[in-house]
Amino acid sequence: MSHLKTWVRGSALLVALGFLALLVRSQWPALRGVDWQVRPALLLLSLVLLEVTWRVELSIWRFLLSRLGGALPWRRAAQAWFLANIMR
C-alpha cells in the first residue's frame, strides 16, 4: 500500500507540474514582454505575507474541521490542505 501512495502522490505532482508548464508555455509571449524587476525587500515581504495567509487559512480550516468532529494535528492538517490545494 505504501508504494501505491508514493506512486499516486508522485503522479499527482507530475500532473500538476505538467499543467503549470503548459500554462507557462501558452503565456510565454506575454511573459517575455514584461520588464521583470526583482526587489528583494518586496519579495521577502510578499513571502512573509503568503506564509501568514496560509497559516490563517489553515487555522480556519482546522477549526471548521474540528467543529465537524474531524480534528487533525497541525502537521497532518497542513499536508492534507496543501495536497488538496495542489489538486485544485
Side-chain angles (χ1 to χ4, degrees):
M1 190 64 165
S2 170
H3 294 297
L4 179 62
K5 279 185 177 180
T6 302
W7 186 85
V8 169
R9 286 180 182 169
S11 298
L13 179 61
L14 287 176
V15 168
L17 291 174
F19 279 115
L20 183 60
L22 288 173
L23 177 65
V24 169
R25 189 175 125 204
S26 71
Q27 300 296 318
W28 190 247
L31 291 171
R32 285 183 50 104
V34 174
D35 182 27
W36 296 98
Q37 295 178 4
V38 177
R39 297 181 184 149
L42 290 178
L43 178 61
L44 181 61
L45 176 62
S46 69
L47 290 174
V48 168
L49 291 174
L50 180 62
E51 175 74 19
V52 169
T53 301
W54 280 348
R55 287 181 182 269
V56 169
E57 288 179 21
L58 183 54
S59 295
I60 292 169
W61 183 71
R62 284 185 68 229
F63 171 75
L64 293 173
L65 192 61
S66 70
R67 299 296 288 174
L68 295 171
L72 286 176
W74 182 265
R75 182 181 173 101
R76 182 64 185 119
Q79 289 173 341
W81 187 76
F82 278 106
L83 185 60
N85 281 332
I86 289 172
M87 297 309 294
R88 281 188 242 167

